[in-house]
Amino acid sequence: MKETVKVARYRNVPYKVNYKVNGGGTSVYSWRESKGDSFQILDVPEDVVEWLAIYTQAFTDGELVIVDENDQMINLIENHDSYKNNSHTREAIVKFLNGTVKTLKEELKKITDDGEKRFVLSVAKENKVDSIAKQKAIAEWANMSIELLFEEDEEE
């Protein structure tokens, strides 16, 4: 039996991988979007994880995350800093949103992937960041106005 690696999707939009199998055919791996603190973990064959690490940006951009930080497959990921900075759990985002403004700015500065940025903005809006200084820091980082980013839905 082939070895597998536990791979998670932390972001709030689904993700799909189409892996062409040797000898023809395609294996499809689909992760549903995260909701709250719940996210999906799939057992993915090592050869698929190796292909993702070498030929795609799925790990580097934080689209997918190897759950076990001690798994040897992590060594295949070329840019470890990008991987770590773009693969936050909702819980980790809430933690730095609730921290100091200085810590928030430092964490935001590290994020480079647009999908991760959208995820952070979504979590910030859901958690109703009420500190004006934090709202300003987030809005500047996102290159948006505070009003546009944090306005309440009028239809409620």
Side-chain angles (χ1 to χ4, degrees):
M1 185 172 114
K2 288 186 177 180
E3 293 293 318
T4 60
V5 177
K6 292 190 179 306
V7 178
R9 170 76 174 162
Y10 293 150
R11 297 191 186 157
N12 58 350
V13 292
Y15 194 79
K16 184 183 285 189
V17 170
N18 295 310
Y19 176 72
K20 293 198 186 294
V21 181
N22 289 339
T26 302
S27 292
V28 179
Y29 300 90
S30 297
W31 288 262
R32 66 180 175 272
E33 70 276 6
S34 67
K35 292 184 180 175
D37 290 332
S38 174
F39 52 87
Q40 186 175 18
I41 299 172
L42 297 179
D43 287 318
V44 178
E46 281 186 345
D47 57 333
V48 177
V49 173
E50 183 176 334
W51 175 78
L52 286 166
I54 295 171
Y55 297 108
T56 76
Q57 296 293 310
F59 292 117
T60 305
D61 291 347
E63 299 291 347
L64 298 173
V65 178
I66 296 173
V67 175
D68 180 2
E69 293 179 5
N70 295 318
D71 195 301
Q72 292 300 313
M73 298 304 279
I74 287 180
N75 294 330
L76 295 174
I77 299 170
E78 198 167 296
N79 188 335
H80 285 276
D81 287 338
S82 179
Y83 173 69
K84 288 189 326 191
N85 295 334
N86 291 300
S87 59
H88 297 92
T89 62
R90 181 178 304 273
E91 180 181 35
I93 293 169
V94 168
K95 185 176 179 179
F96 69 69
L97 287 172
N98 290 334
T100 65
V101 174
K102 180 182 179 196
T103 301
L104 173 64
K105 286 180 177 181
E106 288 171 1
E107 290 299 320
L108 292 176
K109 195 184 317 180
K110 295 176 190 176
I111 298 170
T112 57
D113 180 70
D114 288 339
E116 185 74 356
K117 289 177 182 181
R118 286 189 297 274
F119 185 40
V120 169
L121 293 173
S122 171
V123 172
K125 287 175 92 170
E126 284 174 21
N127 284 279
K128 300 189 185 328
V129 173
D130 57 359
S131 160
I132 299 297
K134 289 180 185 179
Q135 285 183 357
K136 183 178 179 189
I138 295 167
E140 286 176 4
W141 169 74
N143 200 24
M144 296 175 72
S145 72
I146 292 177
E147 297 78 20
L148 183 62
L149 191 56
F150 291 102
E151 72 182 10
E152 293 294 320
D153 292 329
E154 300 297 325
E155 299 174 21
E156 290 182 26

